[in-house]
Amino acid sequence: MKQKPTLKVIAKELDVSVSTVSKALRDSKEIGEETKQKVKAFAKLYNYRPNNIALSLKNKKTKTLGVIIPEIVHHFFTTVISGIEQHANDKGYNVIVGLSNESFRKEVINLEMLANGSIDGFIISVAKETLSVKDYHHLSETIDQGIPIVMFDRVIDEIECDKVIVDDAKTSKKAVQKLIDSGCKRIGIISTKDYVSVGKLRTQGYLKALKINKIDLNEDLILKIDDKFNSDDNLEFLEEQIYSYFKNNTIDGLFAVNELYAITAMKVARQKGLKIPEDLQIIGFTDGVLSKHAFPPLTTISQHGFEMGMESAKLLIERLENTNDEEEPFKTSIVKTDIIERETTKL
Amino acid sequence: MKQKPTLKVIAKELDVSVSTVSKALRDSKEIGEETKQKVKAFAKLYNYRPNNIALSLKNKKTKTLGVIIPEIVHHFFTTVISGIEQHANDKGYNVIVGLSNESFRKEVINLEMLANGSIDGFIISVAKETLSVKDYHHLSETIDQGIPIVMFDRVIDEIECDKVIVDDAKTSKKAVQKLIDSGCKRIGIISTKDYVSVGKLRTQGYLKALKINKIDLNEDLILKIDDKFNSDDNLEFLEEQIYSYFKNNTIDGLFAVNELYAITAMKVARQKGLKIPEDLQIIGFTDGVLSKHAFPPLTTISQHGFEMGMESAKLLIERLENTNDEEEPFKTSIVKTDIIERETTKL
DNA sequence: TATCAACACGAAAACGTTGTAGCTGAGAAT
DNA sequence: ATTCTCAGCTACAACGTTTTCGTGTTGATA
């Protein structure tokens, strides 16, 4: 096991100064051609790589992005990470991930753990618990300390920073409109409690679509699931709620605010003997593996997570590398959505 | 935007030396009670946090783990990451992720990008391309430089390091045995080309089960898919292959080496009018969202990715923190598997 | 009064880099 | 012969910590 060579050992070995080695490797014109060759050859031989940590300390930049998300076992978030990684790597940045598990406390800890010089900036989608307790001090303090944050998907209006979202309301309106256009008369929605910003917005879109089409609102057709934490563990709970929803209501169109709700609804609908899409048409939000491979394959709205990730990384890195002394104003990027028509909708 | 306070500015402000501040904050008995209080109060007020980078440089430890995986949009890998994260966080470590996208080149780049002081050790599942070109120099060089590596799932026998795997052969044997016990007479397998170690091993398990039960081997029933890269993008290609496989063979039991193969097989079987599990029983490998929510829900082998991640992190951190001068011998942990019976098998 | 321990603190080095400023010697210009 | 220029190199500070080794002051002891 050969130790990692440093400038110092190369210098000693070649009987020159540390500065000479450093400059030779960076091709400085201060150094003679002969010495340069010698140093470079030696460095290559011993596989010298500048120590990143030392550089970070000197430059006060780590070239590392901190990404904090609620959970990683989740198709949407992983596509976002892919996008972030891609752009970050292209720009020479690394990505460090922190998981909040939808917990406020863990989110704070993660933030603090990284906001001590480890990273240059954050990309974050806040935990449901954070949204529900409305305590954002950790975020504002981080920004105060000069560490930029980019929020994506689940964002907080009160915090000023760059944001990347889809236009949830508008997109949802479009989805519901499609259901209407396909002949649905009684359209339901399965959403989350309102503290989840995206759930709220998507519900608004639903409402708007009904209004525009002069369809009377029936409150019973709105099911708001309270899954403060991970809903994958509470599958039976979810099923129960949807089951009683179906028992009390007859619908021919359903808009679900995420994939899981959509396919779970499909499942209980099938148990009730409903044919999809003949008796019931369904559109989900988020295009994941589930939608793609469900039976029948689910028509969904694609949020283009990869693009969201790319865009988030782009905004963050731009801000980090912006050398203008004047602060750039904060931007909110809206990435477009698409309805991916599969087999749970007609036509 | 208040700048991050350093020991130096605290020292200047309080008119003491840097050493005093440092010691006071670490509760050294060298410092008088009064001064300690003063320093601590000030530090709290200005929200002082020791700069991690400086610490890393000094201690030659970053308290950061590098995780390199082929892709992140993949249920198994994300559960593993969850496990790694959990244990790492508990031990005060951060996790930096690199994606190889199944590409040898990207794997090498990622490794080099991090093996310059940024991380203390690696946890890695190698890319398919790496396995197929059999070029492992980047791995052995990293280990040579004193950076420990833990491999999980896709491991390389020739490289000596800690490893975390499931007993693929044994597990597969068990799965096929179950098929046999449930009355299957003609059992097929959909696997990968042999350069993927896990594909090879799982095929071996299949073979062994047949042998033990004195069932004659029919080579035609073995389908080896060549998906050198991401198979999610080549869904049609996969479907085609499976389609012609079904066309040429009649089977009543199928063991698929991963989730995607299993549910794709289900799909084409259904197209052929086969009833599952009446006409065809299927068992997949890897328990992901797809299996759980498929129709019908797929009987699978759970690899317990979370445990694999935990165990990997555990092995790595143990090695990192082992202060004995004598090297610990390398370990290979085998995490147990379970057959999760759902509705694609009888009984 | 001289010695000594205990106490409270400070100076400096080290981790690996880079950039600025300074130094040296040789040849050219005066 | 003196000054100047320039190439080619070295010294040093700085980034923020921790830690080792002082050092000065006090009060007690001989």
Side-chain angles (χ1 to χ4, degrees), chain A residues 225-228 231 233-244 264:
Chain A
I225 309 272
D226 187 8
D227 62 339
K228 193 156 294 189
S231 55
D233 301 332
N234 300 326
L235 212 54
E236 328 73 48
F237 174 70
L238 179 61
E239 274 181 42
E240 262 171 44
Q241 290 200 61
I242 295 182
Y243 187 83
S244 65
T264 307

Side-chain angles (χ1 to χ4, degrees), chain A residues 16-17 19-20 23 30 32 35 58 60:
Chain A
V16 291
S17 79
S19 335
T20 304
K23 285 171 185 163
E30 287 183 59
T35 319
K58 192 156 198 351
K60 292 164 156 268

Side-chain angles (χ1 to χ4, degrees), chain B residues 173-191:
Chain B
K173 200 186 73 182
K174 199 163 67 176
V176 175
Q177 185 65 53
K178 176 170 172 43
L179 252 18
I180 295 171
D181 293 345
S182 305
C184 295
K185 300 295 176 202
R186 288 178 58 84
I187 300 175
I189 179 174
I190 305 184
S191 183

Side-chain angles (χ1 to χ4, degrees), chain A residues 49-88:
Chain A
R49 300 251 173 271
N51 182 311
N52 224 323
I53 298 293
L55 286 178
S56 297
L57 183 57
K58 192 156 198 351
N59 304 332
K60 292 164 156 268
K61 291 190 179 174
T62 61
K63 286 258 178 187
T64 302
L65 271 29
V67 176
I68 297 181
I69 52 173
E71 45 173 338
I72 198 168
V73 189
H74 191 301
H75 186 266
F76 172 64
F77 286 122
T78 56
T79 54
V80 174
I81 294 186
S82 289
I84 293 174
E85 255 275 332
Q86 168 117 148
H87 186 75

Side-chain angles (χ1 to χ4, degrees), chain A residues 206-224:
Chain A
Y206 164 80
L207 263 24
K208 193 152 186 187
L210 295 191
K211 196 169 184 182
I212 287 178
N213 291 274
K214 304 201 196 313
I215 299 178
D216 285 342
L217 170 62
N218 180 346
E219 292 279 1
D220 291 345
L221 297 185
I222 301 180
L223 174 59
K224 290 188 181 170

